[in-house]
Amino acid sequence: MNESSSPLSFLTENPAAAAIKDAYNSFSDRRALLNLPNPGTVDNIAREVQKDVLLTNFMFTGLRADLTKVFGMSPLFRVSHAFSMGGASQMPPYNFSAMYGSPKWFLQGNMGSDGGLAAVANYRWTPALVTKTNAQIMAGGQGLIQIDNDYTGSDFSASIKAFNPSCLDGGLTGIFVGSYLQSITPRLALGFEAIWQRQGMSARPETALSYCAKYKGDDWISTAQLQAQGTFAATYWRKLSERVEAGVDMNLQFAPNAAAMMMGGPSRDGTTSIGAKYDFRASSFRAQVDSAGKVSCLLEKRIAMPISLSFAGEIDQAKQTAKVGLAVSLEIAGEELMEQQETADAANMIPPPF
């Protein structure tokens, strides 16, 4: 008997533990032979449609001007000033932002003229594990803190999030979200998202479970999500050519309605959006139309190396209203910094954990 062995070695040095270990190693070896790709995250399961093609994250109104000064590329350090006027969004008239990024750290701070503050701090522990924190103080005094832990495996992605977590009231309160997306075949991925929330100790905790699926073809991607609140979402993205992409986003809400229940069933409310994106040599054009009668477009044009213009327009046929937005962006960087950026792109350096 080995006298230097641990007193707890009997937990691992027994026939049952050896059988479990052999089964796990055999399963891991067979799983590695499948050579399945990483499917991405549940949050970005429909990224190609919702964040690349459609205008949800790009639409704006009014006048806007962005001035950015780049001080370094490796590590990344830049400051920016943003001015806006006449917009319908909650963006303040003036906003100052500073950003720092390295292969392990990403730090960003924003301060608006309305008194709002926002800070982002991300840290990459390993190439697969990243912790992201986001803290905000609204103009009205309300605060928000969000902590994310994302793990990216060879054929899966897992994430745990916490919104305003606290244990100062005698128990755990806040919103906690856990998600997991696993590649089943080289083209099919299945996953789920679980939510646990409790607003206060006087309230009962609530839970919800959502399911999602993603299928990737040669030049197209289709996704589907079923949420516990009765929402079904589906997207379809296709690469039409080297510079043209198109996407469809459909949302169907099965919401309980008193009048509808008296007639024999829940109400159904849904919207469908169809969009396309055209990439030219120095510009990008997006167009979108939805079932609610809105027609939108966005044109981004780079006039010169440091200057770019953006034009956004929207027509609501049902409300007979129109919105227009114009933005000018100026990014100042020296020739040495531009050479550093080209060198970094050529060397495939690890980007900051955005």
Side-chain angles (χ1 to χ4, degrees), residues 2-344:
N2 188 4
E3 297 181 355
S4 62
S5 62
S6 172
L8 301 178
S9 61
F10 71 92
L11 296 176
T12 57
E13 298 178 359
N14 58 76
I20 295 175
K21 183 179 180 181
D22 293 341
Y24 177 78
N25 292 335
S26 177
F27 174 77
S28 298
D29 294 339
R30 294 182 180 180
R31 181 175 172 182
L33 292 176
L34 295 176
N35 195 23
L36 298 177
N38 182 273
T41 62
V42 174
D43 290 340
N44 295 323
I45 192 172
R47 176 184 59 84
E48 291 80 7
V49 175
Q50 298 177 351
K51 297 186 178 182
D52 292 345
V53 175
L54 300 184
L55 307 180
T56 306
N57 298 323
F58 302 94
M59 192 64 191
F60 67 96
T61 59
L63 301 178
R64 194 178 70 189
D66 299 328
L67 175 62
T68 303
K69 172 64 176 178
V70 181
F71 293 95
M73 296 302 301
S74 182
L76 175 65
F77 180 62
R78 63 176 62 184
V79 298
S80 62
H81 307 267
F83 305 87
S84 65
M85 181 179 63
S89 63
Q90 299 180 354
M91 187 174 181
Y94 171 74
N95 189 77
F96 173 78
S97 175
M99 178 190 301
Y100 172 84
S102 68
K104 285 187 173 293
W105 282 98
F106 174 73
L107 304 174
Q108 184 178 14
N110 299 324
M111 180 178 62
S113 58
D114 58 351
L117 299 174
V120 176
N122 302 346
Y123 183 74
R124 178 182 282 117
W125 302 92
T126 66
L129 179 61
V130 176
T131 297
K132 303 178 181 180
T133 59
N134 186 356
Q136 297 182 20
I137 300 178
M138 316 301 182
Q142 296 181 352
L144 170 67
I145 183 170
Q146 176 181 345
I147 304 175
D148 301 357
N149 291 279
D150 298 334
Y151 186 86
T152 304
S154 59
D155 58 356
F156 72 95
S157 295
S159 175
I160 298 178
K161 301 180 181 180
F163 298 87
N164 286 344
S166 176
C167 57
L168 301 179
D169 298 334
L172 187 62
T173 60
I175 302 175
F176 301 87
V177 182
S179 61
Y180 183 85
L181 187 62
Q182 171 71 57
S183 291
I184 306 300
T185 68
R187 296 181 181 271
L188 177 63
L190 301 177
F192 68 91
E193 183 178 71
I195 301 176
W196 184 93
Q197 61 179 347
R198 191 172 191 175
Q199 301 299 330
M201 295 304 300
S202 59
R204 297 181 58 183
E206 301 178 0
T207 60
L209 188 62
S210 305
Y211 305 93
C212 60
K214 179 179 181 180
Y215 189 88
K216 185 176 182 180
D218 295 333
D219 56 356
W220 59 275
I221 299 175
S222 179
T223 67
Q225 299 181 65
L226 179 61
Q227 300 179 1
Q229 297 84 356
T231 302
F232 175 77
T235 64
Y236 178 79
W237 173 87
R238 189 176 186 89
K239 188 82 170 178
L240 300 180
S241 66
E242 182 180 358
R243 297 180 179 271
V244 181
E245 305 174 21
V248 180
D249 185 11
M250 183 190 69
N251 289 272
L252 184 60
Q253 176 73 45
F254 295 92
N257 182 280
M261 293 297 292
M262 294 178 62
M263 298 300 295
S267 63
R268 298 179 178 86
D269 185 18
T271 58
T272 301
S273 301
I274 302 175
K277 177 185 176 183
Y278 299 82
D279 288 324
F280 302 98
R281 184 178 62 85
S283 62
S284 177
F285 178 75
R286 293 178 174 88
Q288 175 182 327
V289 59
D290 60 26
S291 58
K294 293 183 180 180
V295 180
S296 309
C297 67
L298 174 69
L299 175 63
E300 297 173 320
K301 173 70 174 180
R302 181 171 290 276
I303 305 301
M305 196 61 185
I307 304 175
S308 61
L309 297 177
S310 299
F311 172 81
E314 179 183 278
I315 299 177
D316 193 331
Q317 302 289 347
K319 299 181 180 179
Q320 294 297 312
T321 59
K323 300 178 182 179
V324 177
L326 178 64
V328 180
S329 299
L330 176 62
E331 182 173 322
I332 303 175
E335 295 182 359
E336 297 181 358
L337 295 178
M338 300 302 297
E339 293 177 356
Q340 292 180 9
Q341 183 179 9
E342 294 177 357
T343 304

